[in-house]
Amino acid sequence: MNTDQRNFLLAERETVKRMLAKTPATALLTRMSDEARLRNIEAELAALPADGRSPARARLTFNGLPVIGSHGIFADFGMKAVSSFTDAVATVAASLSAPLAAMGPIPNRDQNQLLITNTAVGSFGFELEEYRAQELLDDESAVAVALDRTQSLLQATLGQDDELADIASETDPRALDKVRGFLRVLADNEAICTLQYGDKAMRFADPGQVRRSLDRLAADNLRESQEMLEGEFVGVLPVARSFEFKLSGSDEIVHGKISPKVGDVEMLNDHLHQRVRVEAMRTQVGNGRPRFLLTQIPQWAADAVPASS
């Protein structure tokens, strides 16, 4: 049972109650029928588990050379495009809890799958739904977050360098490569897509725009490198997992995010203004401002002193 079914039963219960209220006491057979139906509804509601949430749903439609209007889509392209998209979402979802190895199976692949539940009406494509092996809890799932991030990343490839750097710096390199793979399938087939998720929709206008987005995600434009920074933390926000770090020998302050694999973020606030060397992933798009991702908890000397002393 999902939330939609629960809501359906609740609505039906109210309808039967209103009908009973309007039924005369002398209409015995009608009342007996409605009362029996009401008991059945109550029993079905009582059998449901605690309130869950609806699965995440997205709509992915295509246009271009592989699409024959609203009549059909070449099967070879359709399978490759949907497979590469679902692979990208599953990889983004897996990377939310821990960094991914460069090779090997994607962790939790079975738990982060999407189902094709229908063809999209109006243009050719598919309606996708988060797969659930059991009742979903109220918390937003990894698949829901991954759909949102994948959509935001694709949208950012159409925006400014800084916008793309912001989301790319928080995306695992292997997940980025999967998104490149999806765009490559579109570009190689002169296709475009529209992705609708939640109340947002992103759309490529033409195959040239897809190729430009793919170029912007290319390694020579989206440059990532592991760097050592020397200086001091001047501010850390544990919930937002962000930090400010003042570089030694200058007044420059770099802003960054903290990787999911860094556990005890709170402890960073115990070492504000103490000299330290930290390892961070540097991400820069084009000539935009670089972003930093703290990838490890740094080590302070037992006798560490404030940087200003």
Side-chain angles (χ1 to χ4, degrees):
M1 292 281 186
N2 60 24
T3 301
D4 291 341
Q5 291 169 300
R6 177 185 296 276
N7 291 338
F8 174 79
L9 289 171
L10 290 172
E12 189 177 12
R13 183 177 66 178
E14 292 307 306
T15 299
V16 175
K17 283 182 176 179
R18 285 196 297 271
M19 291 169 60
L20 272 171
K22 294 178 181 178
T23 303
T26 53
L28 295 179
L29 291 179
T30 301
R31 290 192 65 86
M32 288 175 63
S33 174
D34 289 342
E35 286 170 353
R37 177 58 190 145
L38 187 58
R39 286 194 294 273
N40 288 337
I41 294 172
E42 297 286 6
E44 289 182 60
L45 283 169
L48 291 178
D51 279 346
R53 63 167 177 79
S54 297
R57 296 187 177 95
R59 189 171 184 266
L60 182 63
T61 58
F62 301 98
N63 215 322
L65 284 183
V67 181
I68 311 301
S70 59
H71 178 66
I73 186 171
F74 284 106
D76 184 52
F77 166 77
M79 287 188 293
K80 287 180 181 175
V82 173
S83 175
S84 60
F85 177 79
T86 57
D87 208 23
V89 172
T91 307
V92 173
S95 70
L96 296 176
S97 54
L100 302 178
M103 300 181 67
I106 299 296
N108 303 319
R109 185 71 173 82
D110 291 344
Q111 287 77 37
N112 295 323
Q113 292 192 81
L114 290 170
L115 303 172
I116 296 175
T117 56
N118 209 342
T119 53
V121 177
S123 55
F124 213 92
F126 306 96
E127 293 182 1
L128 306 170
E129 181 179 300
E130 169 185 10
Y131 170 69
R132 52 187 183 159
Q134 55 189 12
E135 188 72 15
L136 297 168
L137 302 177
D138 287 336
D139 292 341
E140 193 173 30
S141 68
V143 172
V145 175
L147 277 168
D148 183 65
R149 287 203 181 184
T150 303
Q151 183 184 55
S152 297
L153 182 59
L154 291 172
Q155 183 67 54
T157 65
L158 304 176
Q160 302 298 314
D161 286 347
D162 283 348
E163 181 184 355
L164 180 55
D166 278 338
I167 189 164
S169 65
E170 297 183 65
T171 305
D172 188 275
R174 193 170 177 185
L176 271 178
D177 196 51
K178 295 292 185 181
V179 175
R180 290 187 192 101
F182 172 63
L183 290 177
R184 193 170 296 113
V185 171
L186 296 181
D188 289 348
N189 291 276
E190 294 288 315
I192 60 175
C193 78
T194 298
L195 173 60
Q196 290 182 296
Y197 177 65
D199 58 357
K200 296 187 295 184
M202 71 77 47
R203 178 178 184 273
F204 291 107
D206 55 62
Q209 198 173 51
V210 174
R211 288 192 290 273
R212 288 192 292 277
S213 289
L214 183 56
D215 289 342
R216 297 193 68 212
L217 285 180
D220 59 351
N221 186 63
L222 196 162
R223 300 180 297 280
E224 294 184 310
S225 59
Q226 204 73 23
E227 295 196 359
M228 295 298 296
L229 306 178
E230 187 165 349
E232 58 186 288
F233 286 98
V234 295
V236 176
L237 295 174
V239 175
R241 301 185 70 84
S242 62
F243 67 89
E244 293 181 343
F245 191 86
K246 183 175 180 294
L247 298 178
S248 293
S250 76
D251 292 328
E252 183 182 358
I253 293 178
V254 300
H255 302 259
K257 292 285 188 176
I258 302 171
S259 167
K261 78 174 182 179
V262 176
D264 189 4
V265 178
E266 290 275 2
M267 63 88 69
L268 295 173
N269 277 318
D270 297 334
H271 296 277
L272 296 181
H273 307 295
Q274 293 181 355
R275 289 193 183 94
V276 70
R277 282 167 59 86
V278 301
E279 188 172 350
M281 177 67 78
R282 181 182 190 272
T283 301
Q284 184 174 18
V285 176
N287 295 316
R289 182 168 58 86
R291 267 62 171 174
F292 292 89
L293 181 71
L294 184 70
T295 53
Q296 291 184 18
I297 283 285
Q299 299 296 316
W300 282 269
D303 57 349
V305 296
S308 56
S309 65

